[in-house]
Amino acid sequence: MRHAICCVVILVAIGSGQNWETSSILPGSFFAWGIGVDSDNLPHVAFGTARCLGYASRDSTGWNLEYPDSNAYVAELDLCLDSDGFPHIGYSGVRYAYWDGINWHTEAVAEGSGLTLALARDRTPHMVFVDSLRVKYTYKAGDSWVILPVPAYQ
């Protein structure tokens, strides 16, 4: 009986599936991308090229494009939105960009690769990355970044 109920639920879910809407942001070659959705269900997309870090946000009229760092090779990135829907982006070379509601700010954090970004509830950015084959963790403390090695398996 339980198996039959699961099949009905699956069939109902398939029958009432959503239609996908596809929207082109801009043409070109991108090495990295990330997506977030704000509280109004609008998409925010970060993208990287050989020349810059780009950011696009969607509103009722279309896509709004910005370039937080127009002088960066971006092969990897991670995007988080804070509680106000403002973007925070970690990207290649362990760099950090964020929008404060008025301006973009960019910072060099460390040298490394393979980064992942997370935001604390108080909007403090935290990143994990690899430097010289060691995993490192960093977080923003005031105006500086604290970088700590993650202990290896013993």
Side-chain angles (χ1 to χ4, degrees):
M1 178 67 168
R2 190 152 103 177
H3 181 68
I5 292 171
C6 288
C7 289
V8 170
V9 170
I10 292 170
L11 291 175
V12 169
I14 292 171
S16 65
Q18 296 180 353
N19 293 324
W20 287 88
E21 180 182 327
T22 304
S23 174
S24 179
I25 300 171
L26 66 136
S29 261
F30 305 102
F31 300 136
W33 49 87
I35 187 168
V37 179
D38 65 23
S39 61
D40 293 327
N41 290 323
L42 294 171
H44 298 251
V45 177
F47 54 92
T49 71
R51 297 185 320 252
C52 69
L53 170 66
Y55 170 76
S57 59
R58 180 85 179 179
D59 63 19
S60 61
T61 62
W63 290 101
N64 302 302
L65 295 172
E66 300 179 53
Y67 297 93
D69 191 341
S70 60
N71 192 25
Y73 173 82
V74 181
E76 58 190 359
L77 62 80
D78 201 1
L79 166 72
C80 292
L81 298 178
D82 64 27
S83 59
D84 290 326
F86 294 156
H88 298 254
I89 305 167
Y91 58 107
S92 294
V94 193
R95 295 186 57 82
Y96 173 65
Y98 69 96
W99 175 256
D100 66 5
I102 299 171
N103 296 304
W104 280 101
H105 304 271
T106 61
E107 302 175 29
V109 178
E111 291 295 322
S113 62
L115 63 90
T116 301
L117 170 71
L119 288 179
R121 288 183 187 174
D122 67 357
R123 298 181 187 180
T124 301
H126 298 255
M127 287 192 269
V128 175
F129 64 97
V130 176
D131 175 22
S132 302
L133 300 177
R134 294 205 53 178
V135 176
K136 293 191 176 175
Y137 160 72
T138 185
Y139 65 93
K140 184 101 184 235
D143 290 336
S144 61
W145 289 85
V146 176
I147 300 173
L148 304 169
V150 176
Y153 175 74
Q154 300 296 320

